[in-house]
Amino acid sequence: MRRIEIEPRPDWRAKVEAEGLIWHTSAGRPYWNESAYYSFTGAQIEQIEDATVELYRLFLAAGQAILDDQTLLDRFCIPPIFHQAVRDAWDAEPPALNFGRFDLGYDGGGAPKLFEFNCDTPTSLLEAAVIQWSWKEERFAHLDQFTSLHDKLVGKWTDIRALLPPAVHFAHVADDAAEDAVTTSYLRDTAEAAGIATIPILVDNIGWNDDGRCFVDDAEQPIDAVFKLYPWEWLVNEAFAPQLLESLVGMVWIEPIWKMIWSNKAILAILWQLFPGHPNLLETSFDIPAGDAVAKPMLAREGANVSIRRAGAVVASTTGAYGDEGYVYQALYHLPEAAPGCFPVIGSWIVDGEPAGIGIREDGLITGNTARFVPHVIEG
């Protein structure tokens, strides 16, 4: 795994914008960073792919163990009135993409290590599925790249199309950076490529019709199915939580409510309890350990409220509005410094249990919302 510097395409901004990546620059520097790329061997990609398959197997086992043990489920800060709904959705397996991004530490040689699983509101999707492939085709057409993400997403929408109503709403917040808007718009494109009609809506514009006992859009039309890029832990704590619980009986929510378990970092501690010493896991606990560790809120986004502890002292930290629900403490993994100040995290995507490609984000010691996306190729 080598990081190689390269001259960016002179018109790269126009090209990525034409493919939908309007959020390509952050804090005055490129978020989409094609001034470098990572080169992997086929064996290294196979190692990442194998780890992704194995981690998915562990998450399946952990999910069942958590739902079978009320004491474990109670650690996830899910309102008790939703516990049965989570169990019901897990057992029923309602229509879903069942996709997500395993964030991994990897140095090109040792076993990939799980940092967390972003499977409820994963972003950097368009970049991994489309933008880096187009870059590769233009710059290195003779080389390969690990991404089948676009085809697998379209294929999964095709698989579940008959189980969905005539139209699916796609909801997200009106984020200033447009990161959520870009991700949701891209997923609409994949659904439409599978022959599904889509309707965009902002989360704040979703209403409730008391007479029809259903959620409605801004045209007062019933919402029968919705893909939402909005965390379940926020939804279940909103003022309309009782109506939300009622809607779970007949309305299709993508992704389903059981994703609250997998996306909660409490599962990292449960995984270690169930599979201690597993080569793809880092030791994680609900208690502050004696050794070097990373403190992570059980519920957080974009690396907020994370701190790195070495020899009992905090050496790096981020701010944010998370942490009230508690923390987990994960053994510190020393990321390779591929370039001065650049520590790559591998985002390994999965769709319905199958590895679907990788995306690489670079940042400092803590990967946050200022991380930059760097493309990759496969050589050898």
Side-chain angles (χ1 to χ4, degrees):
M1 186 178 79
R2 298 179 298 135
R3 186 184 192 274
I4 302 169
E5 294 188 359
I6 188 173
E7 193 67 27
R9 295 169 295 179
D11 55 351
W12 69 267
R13 291 176 178 82
K15 287 182 175 178
V16 301
E17 285 178 6
E19 292 189 301
L21 188 62
I22 56 174
W23 186 67
H24 54 62
T25 303
S26 175
R29 65 174 188 167
Y31 156 69
W32 164 260
N33 179 24
E34 60 176 69
S35 65
Y37 67 94
Y38 281 85
S39 175
F40 292 83
T41 66
Q44 289 171 333
I45 293 297
E46 185 176 351
Q47 193 176 23
I48 294 170
E49 191 171 4
D50 289 346
T52 302
V53 171
E54 175 64 2
L55 287 168
Y56 186 79
R57 183 187 72 83
L58 299 186
F59 268 78
L60 284 173
Q64 190 63 61
I66 291 161
L67 293 177
D68 287 343
D69 187 338
Q70 185 62 45
T71 60
L72 293 182
L73 183 58
D74 288 340
R75 300 301 300 258
F76 285 72
C77 301
I78 299 171
I81 63 169
F82 285 94
H83 284 188
Q84 191 56 49
V86 172
R87 290 191 178 96
D88 291 345
W90 176 270
D91 291 337
E93 298 186 28
L97 295 175
N98 196 8
F99 79 128
R101 190 190 74 230
F102 289 108
D103 284 346
L104 307 174
Y106 183 59
D107 60 9
K113 300 288 188 179
L114 174 68
F115 291 155
E116 58 191 68
F117 190 22
N118 296 279
C119 62
D120 185 22
T121 57
T123 53
S124 71
L125 180 61
L126 176 66
E127 303 91 292
V130 176
I131 306 300
Q132 68 170 344
W133 176 261
S134 295
W135 167 88
K136 194 278 299 182
E137 287 291 273
E138 183 173 342
R139 301 304 302 266
F140 299 101
H142 62 292
L143 297 179
D144 201 358
Q145 187 177 85
F146 182 29
T147 177
S148 58
L149 191 47
H150 181 81
D151 290 342
K152 282 188 168 65
L153 287 169
V154 174
K156 188 56 186 176
W157 282 120
T158 302
D159 288 345
I160 65 175
R161 181 178 57 199
L163 304 175
L164 299 174
V168 176
H169 286 74
F170 281 71
H172 64 88
V173 295
D175 56 323
D176 292 336
E179 184 180 16
D180 287 3
V182 165
T183 301
T184 309
S185 294
Y186 171 63
L187 282 165
R188 282 187 63 205
D189 289 344
T190 62
E192 290 176 354
I196 297 170
T198 70
I199 302 171
I201 189 171
L202 294 175
V203 169
D204 287 345
N205 290 341
I206 295 176
W208 176 259
N209 184 298
D210 273 325
D211 294 332
R213 308 306 299 171
C214 63
F215 285 110
V216 295
D217 60 21
D218 37 12
E220 295 297 322
Q221 295 301 304
I223 299 175
D224 298 316
V226 63
F227 171 89
K228 52 89 199 162
L229 198 70
Y230 192 80
W232 271 110
E233 66 264 20
W234 294 0
L235 285 171
V236 300
N237 287 292
E238 301 276 7
F240 54 77
Q243 291 86 350
L244 174 64
L245 183 62
E246 181 180 339
S247 77
L248 294 174
V249 176
M251 181 175 162
V252 178
W253 289 85
I254 304 174
E255 296 285 89
I257 193 171
W258 64 257
K259 279 292 188 81
M260 290 186 73
I261 299 173
W262 281 8
S263 64
N264 189 311
K265 294 179 187 66
I267 200 170
L268 300 173
I270 304 301
L271 282 165
W272 188 258
Q273 291 175 15
L274 295 172
F275 308 103
H278 191 284
N280 297 126
L281 300 177
L282 293 165
E283 182 174 358
T284 308
S285 172
F286 293 107
D287 302 315
I288 300 176
D292 296 349
V294 180
K296 298 180 175 182
M298 288 163 51
L299 301 171
R301 303 185 77 196
E302 303 283 5
N305 298 100
V306 170
S307 62
I308 298 177
R309 301 159 181 252
R310 289 178 177 162
V314 174
V315 298
S317 63
T318 56
T319 60
Y322 304 98
D324 290 345
E325 68 287 343
Y327 284 76
V328 296
Y329 300 87
Q330 188 177 65
L332 179 62
Y333 177 86
H334 295 281
L335 285 167
E337 189 171 10
C342 294
F343 299 87
V345 170
I346 309 296
S348 185
W349 287 90
I350 198 158
V351 178
D352 203 26
E354 295 186 0
I358 62 171
I360 303 163
R361 291 174 300 147
E362 291 182 336
D363 208 339
L365 293 176
I366 299 173
T367 305
N369 60 2
T370 59
R372 300 204 288 175
F373 191 102
V374 181
H376 77 279
V377 297
I378 304 172
E379 297 181 275

